[in-house]
Amino acid sequence: MNVLTHYYIMKHRFIDPEATPESAEDSLCRALLALDKIAEMRAFLRDLCTPAELEALTDRWRVVPYLLQGVAYREIHERTAVSVTTIGRVARFLSQGNGGYQAAVAHHAVPSVRVRKRAVPTSVALKRRARR
């Protein structure tokens, strides 16, 4: 075998994913499950994800409690600065996804949020608005 052929084979083997009995996704899930302290999980996620990836994950999780309480997308956006598109995506997966959000909800992992009641406009306020 000449050097060029050997290089190609080595390069080809390097590119091919390693076949293991456990998928890489299963291995990642096991790693996440193995961490039982918030500080360990935070460190792992910061090592694993770019700052933008971690922010995207955090944003998605941050809107879940609001969606569960039926808060309007625009109000969620105003409170969290998460895009309405992302909020809609989370809402879709919350109701039609793979069950991951629902599993976390069932394990009481969702943070509580205070939903402000909108003041019902009085007749005086309604008249002022009508004049404008």
Side-chain angles (χ1 to χ4, degrees):
M1 171 179 342
N2 66 32
V3 175
L4 185 59
T5 305
H6 181 71
Y7 174 77
Y8 173 75
I9 291 171
M10 292 303 290
K11 183 82 170 171
H12 185 66
R13 285 186 182 159
F14 179 74
I15 293 172
D16 282 346
E18 183 178 321
T20 60
E22 180 177 54
S23 76
E25 187 176 348
D26 286 350
S27 177
L28 175 60
C29 290
R30 287 188 197 291
L32 291 167
L33 285 169
L35 303 170
D36 61 352
K37 293 181 179 66
I38 290 176
E40 290 175 336
M41 181 63 74
R42 181 179 293 112
F44 182 70
L45 289 173
R46 287 179 177 172
D47 287 346
L48 183 66
C49 301
T50 65
E53 291 167 337
L54 188 54
E55 181 180 20
L57 293 172
T58 303
D59 284 349
R60 291 174 191 155
W61 186 242
R62 187 182 321 151
V63 304
V64 170
Y66 294 103
L67 290 168
L68 292 172
Q69 292 185 23
V71 177
Y73 291 12
R74 283 278 167 213
E75 186 175 342
I76 296 171
H77 169 70
E78 290 168 8
R79 290 167 169 240
T80 65
V82 174
S83 76
V84 173
T85 302
T86 296
I87 295 165
R89 186 175 299 124
V90 172
R92 188 174 59 250
F93 277 91
L94 191 58
S95 65
Q96 303 167 2
N98 298 295
Y101 284 120
Q102 295 299 335
V105 169
H107 286 282
H108 307 288
V110 178
S112 62
V113 292
R114 285 184 45 203
V115 176
R116 288 179 245 146
K117 299 285 185 190
R118 289 186 181 249
V120 178
T122 65
S123 59
V124 173
L126 290 173
K127 287 177 186 175
R128 284 183 192 154
R129 282 187 194 166
R131 280 188 243 154
R132 289 183 196 168

